[in-house]
């Protein structure tokens, strides 16, 4: 040890090593240890090989005696080990070689570290005390966590503190398990104060980082910069998992998001955050714009985020979710082109509510796709719906199905065949009713009439109508000696008009057919099915 110390250069970095020297065992303990090894061999193996010469009833008694003797010798060896390594008072023990005793059991190689004595019940506890003493010397301000640091545990703690940052008064009630985690990891870091029911945020560590950033004059720090500000004197010894969680929480607290190579960066698990990632402070919308955008995004796209407080982290998460939803409802951008010719061919008004909603939805989709962050929020909050937010939300939900239905040629060929029946004497009225219903369906907003349901019903009705026989029934052949004195046929759409025609026909029968020998009457009426 002296040669090592004499040969080390004065400017050599501190060596975080502790040499742990024991006092040598005496011959007495060596004999005890040898006997313990023999007893272990006998008792842990097939004892009958060594006790077989004894009577059966004596074998169990002898085995118990040997086990007791082994326990005594094992306790003696453990007790002497603790004395040999300086964990217990030796008091001139006969089982230690006093001629080869050690005055200093712990010889630190770390600067001026001095470990006088360590009192512990086991070697394991003694080892922990030595390590703690050495690390405390090297990192005098390291936090004392009540548990092992791991990526999953720190991720859980970071999520809890992130949730606390969303609270307006930076205070929230927590469950027992959450309180235990915060006390074990967040409280030692000085970022929370956990009580019996609630937890409070302590902003001092984040303010200290922000103060160092301002002093350095860096507007857009990197992860590496913040790492250095977490422990400027290198006296805390924070594991990478802890550093990453603190950097993430500082970003949330200061209203910053992560960016790498000019693109938004998704945080990895704690312990894997690269130093070249930048912390960008984005432009934030107003609180009124933020609240309105959140409400509208929920109604239009079903978008919701974990926290509703206005901050960089929530803004970034919100923009990402909206963009993801825009990709899912991309068919809404092409819906007006599929809808316009159908309304032009089958209905009258160009300003139909369905078309107005489809055009407004497509325009909003295009506008939001060009934006990012605050601009998405402002566009959502400020646009004026042509019909209603509810109608646009339904339009986005059904855009893909509606576009497919409008582009199915087979369906529209059937409906065009119905259009050719308008002048038919027997099927004309039903054809007119069907085409009128189709026009109303195309004009009405999706929130009022579902295109898929309506077109399905109209197609079924069209198929039924086209299957009706097209030829008129031939009038019966007149018997010999008879002549036709009266014949009438009418297609009417109003019950009152039909009743009037029937009354007029009755008068004609009384006047023109009073001498008729035979009269044939046929009446057919239809009514529209309820929607």
């Amino acid at each position: 040890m002296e040669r090592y110390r004499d040969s080390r250069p004065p400017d050599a970095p501190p060596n975080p090593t502790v040499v742990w020297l024991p006092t040598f065992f005496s011959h007495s303990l060596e004999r005890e240890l040898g006997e313990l090894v023999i007893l272990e061999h006998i008792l842990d193996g097939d004892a009958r090989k060594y006790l077989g010469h004894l009577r059966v009833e004596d074998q169990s008694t002898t085995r118990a005696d040997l086990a007791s003797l082994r326990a005594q010798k094992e306790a003696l060896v453990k007790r002497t080990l603790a004395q040999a390594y300086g964990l217990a008072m030796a008091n001139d023990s006969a089982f230690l070689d006093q001629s080869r005793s050690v005055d200093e059991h712990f010889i630190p190689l770390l600067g001026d570290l001095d470990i006088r004595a360590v009192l512990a019940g086991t070697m394991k506890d003694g080892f922990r005390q030595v390590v703690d003493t050495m690390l405390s010397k090297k990192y005098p301000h390291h936090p004392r966590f009540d548990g092992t640091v791991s990526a999953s545990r720190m991720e859980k703690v970071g999520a809890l503190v992130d949730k606390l940052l969303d609270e307006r008064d930076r205070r929230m009630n927590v469950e027992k398990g959450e309180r235990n985690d915060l006390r074990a990891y967040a409280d030692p870091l000085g970022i929370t104060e956990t009580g019996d029911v609630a937890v409070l945020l302590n902003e001092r560590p984040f303010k200290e980082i922000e103060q160092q950033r301002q002093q350095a004059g860096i507007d857009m720090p990197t992860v590496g910069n913040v790492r250095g500000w977490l422990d400027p004197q290198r006296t805390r010894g924070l594991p990478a998992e802890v550093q990453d969680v603190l950097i993430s929480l500082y970003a949330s607290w200061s209203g910053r998001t992560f960016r790498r190579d000019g693109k938004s960066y998704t945080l990895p698990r704690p312990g894997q955050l690269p130093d070249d990632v930048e912390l960008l402070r984005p432009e934030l919308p107003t609180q009124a714009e933020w609240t309105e955008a959140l409400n509208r995004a929920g109604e239009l796209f079903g978008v919701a985020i974990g926290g509703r407080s206005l901050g960089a982290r929530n803004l970034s998460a919100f923009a990402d979710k909206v963009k993801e939803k825009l990709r899912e409802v991309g068919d809404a951008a092409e819906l007006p082109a599929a809808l316009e010719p159908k309304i032009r061919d089958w209905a009258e008004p160009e300003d139909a509510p369905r078309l107005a909603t489809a055009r407004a939805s497509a325009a909003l989709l295009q506008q939001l796709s060009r934006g990012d962050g605050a601009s998405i929020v402002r566009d959502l909050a400020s646009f004026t719906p042509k019909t209603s937010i509810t109608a646009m939300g339904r339009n986005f939900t059904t855009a893909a199905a509606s576009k497919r239905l409008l582009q199915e040629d087979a369906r529209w060929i059937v409906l065009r065949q119905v259009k050719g029946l308008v002048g038919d004497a027997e099927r004309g009225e039903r054809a007119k009713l069907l085409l009128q219903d189709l026009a109303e369906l195309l004009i009405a907003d999706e929130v009022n009439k579902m295109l898929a349901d309506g077109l399905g019903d109209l197609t079924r009705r069209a198929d039924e109508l086209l299957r009706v026989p097209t030829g008129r029934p031939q009038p019966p052949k007149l018997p010999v000696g008879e002549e036709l004195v009266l014949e009438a046929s009418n297609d009417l759409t109003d019950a009152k008009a039909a009743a009037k025609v029937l009354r007029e026909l009755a008068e004609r029968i009384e006047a023109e057919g009073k001498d008729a020998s035979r009269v044939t009457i046929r009446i057919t009426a239809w009514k529209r099915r309820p929607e």
Side-chain angles (χ1 to χ4, degrees):
M1 290 304 304
E2 293 299 329
R3 285 199 301 269
Y4 169 79
R5 288 171 173 169
D6 293 340
S7 63
R8 270 180 67 80
D11 57 347
N15 188 341
T17 303
V18 174
V19 179
W20 194 352
L21 295 176
T23 294
F24 284 83
F25 291 161
S26 68
H27 293 301
S28 299
L29 188 72
E30 290 175 354
R31 283 194 301 271
E32 295 287 343
L33 184 58
E35 293 173 1
L36 176 60
V37 171
I38 294 172
L39 290 169
E40 293 278 1
H41 178 74
I42 294 173
L43 294 173
D44 292 343
D46 186 3
R48 289 176 300 179
K49 184 166 59 174
Y50 303 99
L51 306 179
H53 62 285
L54 300 175
R55 291 183 304 172
V56 174
E57 57 269 23
D58 292 336
Q59 288 182 14
S60 58
T61 303
T62 303
R63 184 180 179 87
D65 291 341
L66 291 176
S68 175
L69 182 60
R70 177 178 65 174
Q72 296 174 23
K73 292 183 179 296
E74 188 177 75
L76 173 63
V77 170
K78 287 182 177 180
R79 185 168 62 252
T80 306
L81 270 174
Q83 295 170 347
Y85 279 88
L87 299 179
M89 299 298 294
N91 296 324
D92 297 329
S93 171
F95 297 106
L96 294 178
D97 188 346
Q98 301 301 327
S99 65
R100 292 184 292 174
S101 63
V102 176
D103 294 332
E104 295 183 33
H105 291 282
F106 303 99
I107 305 175
L109 306 184
L110 183 64
D112 58 348
L113 176 62
D114 186 19
I115 303 178
R116 289 293 181 184
V118 174
L119 296 179
T122 64
M123 295 289 291
K124 181 179 179 180
D125 291 339
F127 176 77
R128 285 181 172 175
Q129 286 188 36
V130 172
V131 171
D132 182 72
T133 303
M134 183 179 65
L135 290 178
S136 296
K137 178 65 177 180
K138 185 176 181 181
Y139 303 111
H141 301 114
H142 74 94
R144 294 185 177 276
F145 298 119
D146 188 13
T148 304
V149 172
S150 65
S152 57
R153 197 176 297 275
M154 294 311 302
E155 199 169 32
K156 181 179 179 181
V157 171
L160 286 173
V161 182
D162 232 340
K163 186 177 178 181
L164 178 60
L165 283 166
D166 282 337
E167 297 294 328
R168 188 180 299 275
D169 56 355
R170 304 292 169 87
R171 177 188 187 278
M172 70 177 184
N173 293 342
V174 287
E175 301 294 332
K176 180 180 179 181
E178 296 172 337
R179 287 198 300 272
N180 292 339
D181 287 335
L182 291 169
R183 284 196 183 105
Y185 297 96
D187 284 8
L189 289 169
I191 57 177
T192 57
E193 297 175 9
T194 306
D196 294 334
V197 177
V199 58
L200 299 174
L201 180 73
N202 183 5
E203 299 184 61
R204 183 179 55 78
F206 305 125
K207 290 179 179 179
E208 290 176 352
I209 297 173
E210 182 65 12
Q211 184 179 10
Q212 292 181 77
R213 183 196 65 80
Q214 293 174 358
Q215 291 174 351
I218 301 175
D219 293 331
M220 191 185 304
T222 65
V223 167
N225 294 141
V226 182
R227 246 186 245 288
W229 297 331
L230 284 173
D231 190 9
Q233 304 300 323
R234 304 294 185 267
T235 59
R236 301 183 72 186
L238 299 176
E241 294 86 353
V242 176
Q243 293 181 29
D244 287 1
V245 167
L246 288 175
I247 292 169
S248 174
L249 293 173
Y250 164 71
S252 296
W253 175 84
S254 61
R256 295 177 181 272
T257 57
F258 294 93
R259 187 177 68 174
R260 193 183 196 190
D261 299 329
K263 299 177 183 178
S264 178
Y265 181 77
T266 302
L267 288 177
R269 297 199 71 194
Q272 303 174 9
L273 185 57
D275 283 349
D276 61 343
V277 176
E278 297 174 313
L279 280 74
L280 171 70
R281 176 173 285 163
E283 177 189 6
L284 296 179
T286 66
Q287 184 63 49
E289 291 171 336
W290 173 247
T291 302
E292 183 66 14
L294 285 177
N295 294 336
R296 287 187 164 187
E299 293 183 66
L300 290 169
F301 308 116
V303 167
I305 59 174
R308 292 180 63 91
S309 64
L310 176 56
R313 181 73 61 85
N314 284 342
L315 175 61
S316 178
F318 176 74
D320 288 344
K321 285 199 172 185
V322 169
K323 287 180 179 179
E324 180 183 352
K325 198 66 179 181
L326 294 180
R327 290 189 288 271
E328 294 178 11
V329 300
D331 288 299
E334 302 172 6
L335 183 59
L339 185 59
E340 287 167 0
K342 294 297 185 287
I343 290 182
R344 187 169 56 248
D345 294 344
W346 301 88
E348 289 299 327
E350 280 286 323
D351 58 344
R354 184 184 295 276
L355 183 57
T357 298
R359 286 172 174 167
S361 300
L364 179 63
L365 189 64
Q366 185 178 17
Q367 185 177 9
L368 294 177
S369 298
R370 294 194 301 262
D372 194 1
S375 64
I376 289 179
V377 171
R378 293 194 180 100
D379 290 341
L380 270 174
S382 62
F383 86 91
T384 302
K386 296 295 183 182
T387 49
S388 69
I389 296 288
T390 304
M392 292 179 69
R394 179 67 62 83
N395 178 83
F396 282 122
T397 302
T398 62
S402 297
K403 188 183 81 167
R404 186 183 67 252
L405 292 169
L406 292 169
Q407 294 175 341
E408 286 181 352
D409 290 338
R411 184 185 302 273
W412 295 95
I413 289 173
V414 172
L415 293 173
R416 275 194 290 273
Q417 291 175 348
V418 172
K419 213 171 190 180
L421 299 178
V422 172
D424 187 86
E426 290 198 14
R427 295 178 290 178
E429 287 302 314
R430 291 176 65 185
K432 289 179 183 177
L433 287 174
L434 190 150
L435 295 174
Q436 180 182 344
D437 290 345
L438 175 58
E440 292 177 358
L441 175 65
L442 291 172
I443 292 171
D445 224 330
E446 181 75 2
V447 74
N448 297 320
K449 290 190 176 183
M450 296 283 287
L451 188 64
D453 295 343
L455 281 180
D457 180 63
L458 289 171
T459 304
R460 180 186 54 76
R461 287 168 56 189
D463 288 336
E464 292 176 358
L465 184 58
L466 291 171
R467 285 197 298 267
V468 173
T470 57
R472 280 178 174 275
Q474 296 294 324
K477 189 175 181 179
L478 293 176
V480 178
E482 290 187 0
E483 62 175 331
L484 187 65
V485 294
L486 176 62
E487 184 178 22
S489 176
N490 292 279
D491 282 328
L492 303 165
T493 60
D494 183 79
K496 291 183 178 179
K500 180 180 178 183
V501 170
L502 286 174
R503 286 192 293 270
E504 293 174 353
L505 185 59
E507 294 175 359
R508 288 184 62 190
I509 290 176
E510 291 177 351
E512 302 175 24
K514 60 184 178 179
D515 297 326
S517 59
R518 184 160 54 90
V519 177
T520 299
I521 298 176
R522 181 186 177 206
I523 299 175
T524 304
W526 296 273
K527 76 172 184 176
R528 189 175 302 170
R529 288 188 179 90
E531 295 183 358

